[in-house]
Each structure stands twice: as structure tokens, then as C-alpha cells.
Amino acid sequence: MSAHDKALLALSDAEIIESADLTDAEFDELENQLALRAACLGWTGDPMRQPIETVAATVRGIISKRPN
């Protein structure tokens, strides 16, 4: 994991969402993970508008899987 990615992981929830700069593939993964979570919970709203803590945790997981 790069130093930049490590620094991103240390940001607050709101900051990481604003600063993550996900690739198209990573953004697709984010959408898919949030849609799956929403379906499992019976979420009736937009899956991308889940609580900030949930979105940030998902973004952190995606960033932590980035290759070196």
C-alpha cells in the first residue's frame, strides 16, 4: 500500500469520501457493495446515500485492497 493510501485511511469519514479519488472500477465496486448491503437490510432509499460511516468503511476497504 502506498504512503498516499495509508494517509487516506487515516482521514475522517467525510474527508475520505471527498478525497479517495476512486478509479472507475473502484467506484463500481463501491456501488455494488452498497447495493448489496442495502438489499440485505431492506434499504428502500438510494444505496449510495447510506450513512456516512457505512460509505466511509466501504471506501476504506476498497483502498486497503489496492495493489502496491
Side-chain angles (χ1 to χ4, degrees), residues 14-68:
E15 291 172 327
I16 195 168
I17 292 170
E18 293 295 322
S19 304
D21 195 28
L22 300 175
T23 65
D24 289 342
E26 289 172 333
F27 188 78
D28 290 345
E29 182 179 348
L30 173 64
E31 285 184 318
N32 289 336
Q33 287 186 29
L34 291 176
L36 284 172
R37 182 180 186 279
C40 290
L41 294 175
W43 182 276
T44 58
D46 180 356
M48 294 297 288
R49 300 193 52 86
Q50 292 183 48
I52 192 168
E53 299 84 10
T54 300
V55 178
T58 305
V59 169
R60 283 187 178 94
I62 291 168
I63 291 171
S64 68
K65 294 176 189 172
R66 284 180 176 169
N68 294 334

